Amino acid sequence: MDLRGRAVLSLNRLRVLLMLFHTMARVTAEQEVENLSGLSTNPEKDIFVVRENGTTCLMAEFAAKFIVPYDVWASNYVDLITEQAEISLTRGAEVKGRCGHNESELQVFWVDRAYSLKLLFVKEGHNTSKGPEATWRLSKVQFVYDSSEKTHFKDAVTAGKHTANSHRLSALVTPAGKSYECQAQQTISLTSSDPQKTVTMILSAVHIQPFDIISDFVFSEEHKCQVDEQEQLEETLPLILGLILGLVIVVTLVIYHIHHKMTANQVQIPRDRSQYKHMG
């Protein structure tokens, strides 16, 4: 083999090695995840962290529940009855994830992989009247469930694996560089592969940041959902009104006291002229 042929062979081997190294590095990054749900004081809330190159790149805290309709046979074994299974994301779930500059992903598996949840986040730039602005959002949700699993499903007619997907989703919209926080419940509808069935995903106690995390294991400044802001205003408004009312009462009492004191110090002129001789 001539020198040129050896050089080409060596170059091809180098390319293969680089591809293998890239694949291994990517797999390692995807597997660098932690389930910190045990640190949560809320037994229904899970905490997941994805890290790449020793740095936190995605953090997610939330409680999730799925309302899944499914058919069972009626007692006459002719008609179908629709039942509902309530499936909650449990602690100790297996987690995978990956981070990118404009796209990040979180996957969670539980009950021996009978159930899995995939969340896809994207970051986008927009031109506004104030100039270019960037936001991130939840762009896709996929929930896979096994209706043959006996804990939540009882004799489902179409027992087996089903996939429920979101459609044109744009949720949790947040300015770039901030985390999203919402304690209130939020619902997302998912279309199931089980014919004519819609799965409802209920999220609560949410705190998520899939991009631009500056400090390890620390969320950036929160962007609160409108529902939380309204509830906070409703809780604060009575206190503000009470303080204003109390201030008005205090000011009124002070004015009354000053007026009463000034009036008491004035010389009273008698209306009966016979009393004038006693003056001076």
Side-chain angles (χ1 to χ4, degrees), residues 140-206:
K140 183 178 180 180
V141 173
Q142 183 182 81
F143 176 59
V144 179
Y145 61 96
D146 188 352
S147 57
S148 64
E149 195 269 320
K150 299 300 183 182
T151 305
H152 298 91
F153 295 91
K154 307 297 181 184
D155 301 321
V157 173
T158 56
K161 287 273 188 177
H162 298 284
T163 302
N165 288 298
S166 59
H167 181 64
R168 295 182 180 178
L169 182 63
S170 181
L172 318 185
V173 180
T174 304
K178 293 187 177 183
S179 62
Y180 177 88
E181 185 175 30
C182 192
Q183 297 301 315
Q185 285 192 349
Q186 303 169 84
T187 60
I188 297 175
S189 296
L190 309 174
T191 303
S192 177
S193 57
D194 192 0
Q196 299 181 341
K197 298 292 185 294
T198 298
V199 175
T200 301
M201 175 183 179
I202 303 175
L203 290 174
S204 61
V206 176

Side-chain angles (χ1 to χ4, degrees), residues 55-103:
T55 304
T56 302
C57 59
L58 186 153
M59 288 181 64
E61 299 181 9
F62 60 90
K65 181 170 66 175
F66 301 86
I67 309 300
V68 183
Y70 65 101
D71 292 332
V72 298
W73 290 114
S75 57
N76 58 12
Y77 291 97
V78 175
D79 300 320
L80 291 175
I81 301 174
T82 301
E83 299 285 352
Q84 284 190 340
E86 291 191 9
I87 303 164
S88 296
L89 176 59
T90 58
R91 289 193 169 185
E94 179 186 351
V95 58
K96 293 175 61 178
R98 63 179 179 87
C99 298
H101 182 66
N102 295 317
E103 187 174 293

Side-chain angles (χ1 to χ4, degrees), residues 10-273:
S10 298
L11 183 60
N12 289 334
R13 288 178 178 176
L14 180 60
R15 287 176 179 173
V16 172
L17 289 173
L18 286 174
M19 290 177 63
L20 288 173
F21 178 77
H22 177 73
T23 303
M24 291 177 64
R26 185 175 178 182
V27 170
T28 302
E30 288 179 351
Q31 294 179 346
E32 194 176 354
V33 293
E34 296 184 58
N35 185 336
L36 304 179
S37 303
L39 300 177
S40 174
T41 56
N42 182 349
E44 297 181 352
K45 185 169 72 172
D46 291 272
I47 304 174
F48 305 111
V49 176
V50 180
R51 308 181 81 234
E52 286 188 357
N53 301 322
T55 304
T56 302
C57 59
L58 186 153
M59 288 181 64
E61 299 181 9
F62 60 90
K65 181 170 66 175
F66 301 86
I67 309 300
V68 183
Y70 65 101
D71 292 332
V72 298
W73 290 114
S75 57
N76 58 12
Y77 291 97
V78 175
D79 300 320
L80 291 175
I81 301 174
T82 301
E83 299 285 352
Q84 284 190 340
E86 291 191 9
I87 303 164
S88 296
L89 176 59
T90 58
R91 289 193 169 185
E94 179 186 351
V95 58
K96 293 175 61 178
R98 63 179 179 87
C99 298
H101 182 66
N102 295 317
E103 187 174 293
S104 294
E105 184 179 287
L106 180 69
Q107 287 184 275
V108 186
F109 310 86
W110 67 103
V111 190
D112 296 325
R113 292 202 167 210
Y115 308 106
S116 68
L117 171 66
K118 180 190 291 184
L119 304 176
L120 181 65
F121 304 93
V122 295
K123 185 168 67 170
E124 302 167 319
H126 307 278
N127 290 321
T128 67
S129 58
K130 299 179 181 179
E133 293 183 355
T135 59
W136 66 263
R137 62 185 173 90
L138 175 62
S139 63
K140 183 178 180 180
V141 173
Q142 183 182 81
F143 176 59
V144 179
Y145 61 96
D146 188 352
S147 57
S148 64
E149 195 269 320
K150 299 300 183 182
T151 305
H152 298 91
F153 295 91
K154 307 297 181 184
D155 301 321
V157 173
T158 56
K161 287 273 188 177
H162 298 284
T163 302
N165 288 298
S166 59
H167 181 64
R168 295 182 180 178
L169 182 63
S170 181
L172 318 185
V173 180
T174 304
K178 293 187 177 183
S179 62
Y180 177 88
E181 185 175 30
C182 192
Q183 297 301 315
Q185 285 192 349
Q186 303 169 84
T187 60
I188 297 175
S189 296
L190 309 174
T191 303
S192 177
S193 57
D194 192 0
Q196 299 181 341
K197 298 292 185 294
T198 298
V199 175
T200 301
M201 175 183 179
I202 303 175
L203 290 174
S204 61
V206 176
H207 199 177
I208 293 178
Q209 185 172 358
F211 303 101
D212 306 318
I213 295 178
I214 299 174
S215 302
D216 229 10
F217 298 105
V218 178
F219 285 108
S220 299
E221 179 186 354
E222 299 88 359
H223 172 75
K224 293 184 180 293
C225 62
Q226 291 185 353
V227 177
D228 279 9
E229 289 181 344
Q230 291 173 357
E231 289 181 352
Q232 185 176 4
L233 180 60
E234 291 174 358
E235 292 175 358
T236 307
L237 191 58
L239 178 60
I240 295 174
L241 293 176
L243 290 173
I244 294 174
L245 180 60
L247 183 61
V248 169
I249 293 173
V250 170
V251 171
T252 303
L253 289 174
V254 169
I255 294 174
Y256 174 78
H257 177 72
I258 293 174
H259 176 73
H260 179 71
K261 189 174 182 180
M262 292 177 63
T263 305
N265 291 336
Q266 290 180 353
V267 178
Q268 299 294 326
I269 301 176
R271 295 182 180 181
D272 188 353
R273 293 185 178 182

